[in-house]
Amino acid sequence: MHRFANPARFLRFSAVLLPWAAGATVILTIVGLYLALFASPADYQQGETVRIMYIHVPAAWMALFVYTNMALAAAVGLVWKHPLADLFTKAAAPIGAGFTAVCLITGSLWGEPMWGTWWVWDARLTSVLILFFLYLGYMALVNAFDDPTRGSKAGAILVLVGVVNVPIIKFSVDWWNTLHQPASVVKMGGPSIDPSMLWPLLIMGLAFTCYFITVVLVRLRAEIAARKVQMLRLTMAQG
Amino acid sequence: MNRFLRLVSRDLRLAFRQGSDATVAVMFFVLCVVLFPFGVGPEMNILARIAAGVIWVAALLASLLSLERLFQNDYEDGSLELLTLTSLPLEAVVFAKVLAHWLVTGLPLIVAAPLLALLLNMDPAGFPVLILTLLIGTPTLSLIGAIGAALTLGARRGGVLLSLLILPLYIPVLIFGAGAIDASLSGFTARPHLLLLGGLLVAALPLAPWAGAAALRQALE
């Protein structure tokens, strides 16, 4: 990990990785969408609306995955003061917020035909909404300071405080009696979902992960380039 | 310990001499609650039904009101930097500030709450639970708020930003606080809600000063 904290080494490494990640995203999304929308069976209870799951569930996984990664990066940034860790946290936040928004919107669209309501104040939904606000609060806090390092340090602490929400989201369906169904993929005793639906779901999850890696690499490279430009401008202004 | 108490008494003395925060918080609390009968209509049944939630939301907003200045004045006049140089750990400084903040703004709210509950036609049987939830809940609010106040120190539009950061984190306290009162009013035991509320306080007591001190160190770097 410490090896890749060097921005120059990271730039070389990411230049190699980026096309592969982008290619994998495209292929996995096409395959996953085909399997999800055409090749997988409709649900015996939910009919065709079950296909919303192939977007909703991976988006929810990513919302948590991105936040956990941000928290790890924030801790690394605070402890070892790696410049890349702070940049990663900053670069990942809008993507995570996007996934959370997709998760909430698709969940709402799925809830209308299934539960008969767009929204219920149930533990899972509320805790994901809090996650969304945490993302937004982080982005607002990072941009609120004139000194960018102060902003990313404050943001890192906020991200670490918000980590308490992650296990609450994961276990909310077990701890409270909720309308949202309990976990059916990641649980003790193996998944309770049929393989014909599980495979498209997993492929979509992988596609979303590759998408995240691609976009975060692009954003990180852009951020590093922006810093370089800023440094050059400063030296030109002083020289 | 002596230094800790002296810091608390300094903050209390400052609050009393400036004499605004406590009265403003209580006035805001009262006015906020009084708005609801106008908004939802004066029917006694509806008011009794929503009383617990309204009082809790109003208390939450009132405690948010003065949080912005928790560290602001000390940060601007430089005494916060002097406080970091004392032998008192920064975590204890944060805790002392939170304690003073709660004594000035939290405690008056608890005194005023039964009166407002009466105005909202809440069943008097729920009063002890109402006071108990506020006693356990408002210190948690001050503790969580201190993290936000330390994080937004020196930020542009710090006050608005503070509420944006802190309000989502207040939601669990609100759920269990209002839930305990509702449970006791509808004949169930409030115990599980109170235990969870107490758990939040016990978790926030060590963690919030720690996170707040970390945020202060970043602000003073």
Side-chain angles (χ1 to χ4, degrees), chain A residues 78 81 126 130 133-134 136-138 140-141 143-146 150 153-155 157-158 161-162 164 168 176, chain B residues 75 147 150-157 161 164-165 168-169 171-172 175-176 196 211 214-215 218-219 221:
Chain A
L78 283 178
K81 310 220 184 293
T126 312
I130 295 178
F133 288 138
L134 280 173
L136 294 186
Y138 170 82
L141 183 64
N143 293 320
F145 294 94
D146 296 325
R150 163 94 177 95
K153 288 271 152 49
I157 294 173
L158 179 71
V161 170
V164 288
I168 296 179
W176 286 281
Chain B
Y75 177 67
I147 306 175
L151 281 176
T152 53
L153 215 50
R156 294 188 295 266
R157 302 177 309 277
L161 191 60
L164 194 68
L165 298 183
L169 298 174
I171 293 174
I175 291 174
F176 297 123
L196 280 164
Q218 305 297 348
E221 237 172 35

Side-chain angles (χ1 to χ4, degrees), chain B residues 89-164:
Chain B
L90 200 53
E91 285 78 7
V93 172
V94 174
F95 189 64
K97 292 249 160 214
V98 171
L99 189 62
H101 174 261
W102 181 72
L103 287 174
V104 172
T105 61
L107 215 50
L109 297 189
I110 300 172
V111 178
L115 201 69
L116 292 171
L118 212 62
L119 284 180
L120 292 179
N121 191 34
M122 195 167 113
D123 186 355
F127 283 15
V129 182
L130 170 70
I131 294 172
L132 198 57
T133 54
L134 285 172
L135 262 177
I136 309 173
T138 45
T140 320
L141 297 181
S142 295
L143 282 165
I144 299 173
I147 306 175
L151 281 176
T152 53
L153 215 50
R156 294 188 295 266
R157 302 177 309 277
V160 186
L161 191 60
L162 175 65
S163 33
L164 194 68

